């Protein structure tokens, strides 16, 4: 109900069927520090949606990313609530990559003990605890439906951002015989 826009990726039947490595389609969700809020705000929520459909015997390489866009605005707490729905039909193969890197950069050295610091050095944990992006939340849901026989899906998830809370829910349903999936992931956390 709150989605402002939907990115719709539709690959027709037989598209790139004989190409060894198809060129990827890139969908970028750029997030500003103020999240698009106008005036004084206690926080904003936004709900980007992506719908991808791979028709029979097609190939699709699809990259989805969420990145920071620095506009010089002041920080406003944000809730990013993304939803990606993917349908793969018979004989189609879809390669999907998600890169989540919103929330700035985590402070280096938070794993160091306070005993290892010089007396004039501020503890990295104190610096990290004061970062405004720790008030941000990034939820991402990826729902994949392998609807046809011999449908294939390969997913790669990487979360390297500095948001306070990041949760990625990834569900793959193998609905026909011969359907197959492979999922890999990496999350770099700080603090």
């Amino acid at each position: 109900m709150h989605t402002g826009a939907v990115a719709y990726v539709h690959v027709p039947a037989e598209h790139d069927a004989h190409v060894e490595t198809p060129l990827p389609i890139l969908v970028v969700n750029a997030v500003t520090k103020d999240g698009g809020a106008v005036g004084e705000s206690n926080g904003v929520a936004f709900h980007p949606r992506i719908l991808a459909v791979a028709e029979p015997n097609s190939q699709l390489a699809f990259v989805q990313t969420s990145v920071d866009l620095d506009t010089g605005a002041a920080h406003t707490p944000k809730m990013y609530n993304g939803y990606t729905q993917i349908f793969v039909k018979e004989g189609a193969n879809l390669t999907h990559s998600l890169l989540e890197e919103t929330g700035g950069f985590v402070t280096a050295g938070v794993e160091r003990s306070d005993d290892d610091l010089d007396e004039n050095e501020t503890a990295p944990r104190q610096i990290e605890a004061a970062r405004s992006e720790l008030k941000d939340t990034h939820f991402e849901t990826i729902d994949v439906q392998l609807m046809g026989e011999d449908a294939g899906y390969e997913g790669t998830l990487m979360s390297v951002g500095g948001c306070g809370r990041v949760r990625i829910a990834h569900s793959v349903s193998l609905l026909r015989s011969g359907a197959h999936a492979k999922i890999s992931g990496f999350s770099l956390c700080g603090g």
Side-chain angles (χ1 to χ4, degrees):
M1 183 166 80
H2 295 286
T3 299
V6 176
Y8 178 51
V9 179
H10 179 252
V11 180
E14 307 289 331
H15 181 77
D16 280 348
H18 304 293
V19 175
E20 188 172 326
T21 307
L23 294 175
I25 292 174
L26 175 64
V27 176
V28 178
N29 288 306
V31 180
T32 60
K33 280 191 175 257
D34 63 0
V38 178
E40 198 68 27
S41 176
N42 291 329
V44 295
F46 42 100
H47 314 276
R49 178 150 188 222
I50 298 171
L51 173 61
V53 179
E55 294 292 345
N57 302 310
S58 64
Q59 282 195 80
L60 171 61
F62 167 45
V63 178
Q64 163 186 0
T65 184
S66 301
V67 298
D68 289 331
L69 180 64
D70 188 2
T71 60
H75 181 267
T76 298
K78 293 174 287 304
M79 185 184 92
Y80 180 107
N81 182 30
Y83 181 65
T84 300
Q85 198 169 22
I86 298 171
F87 295 99
V88 185
K89 298 188 179 175
E90 57 273 0
N93 285 294
L94 192 140
T95 302
H96 173 237
S97 299
L98 170 72
L99 176 59
E100 190 288 313
E101 53 183 346
T102 59
F105 297 103
V106 175
T107 306
V110 293
E111 71 282 355
R112 292 174 49 200
S113 167
D114 291 347
D115 298 335
D116 297 337
L117 302 174
D118 296 330
E119 66 180 58
N120 295 329
E121 188 178 2
T122 304
R125 290 181 195 161
Q126 291 174 340
I127 297 169
E128 177 65 16
R131 267 190 339 105
S132 56
E133 288 85 353
L134 291 181
K135 296 178 183 175
D136 294 345
T137 301
H138 186 120
F139 293 142
E140 193 75 52
T141 300
I142 301 166
D143 181 22
V144 181
Q145 305 289 319
L146 297 172
M147 305 171 59
E149 291 187 12
D150 298 318
Y153 172 81
E154 184 171 338
T156 303
L157 311 175
M158 289 186 63
S159 178
V160 295
C163 283
R165 293 163 298 278
V166 177
R167 299 293 182 267
I168 300 172
H170 197 181
S171 171
V172 178
S173 298
L174 307 173
L175 302 173
R176 296 283 187 245
S177 64
H180 55 281
K182 175 182 173 184
I183 300 170
S184 303
F186 175 79
S187 183
L188 178 65
C189 304

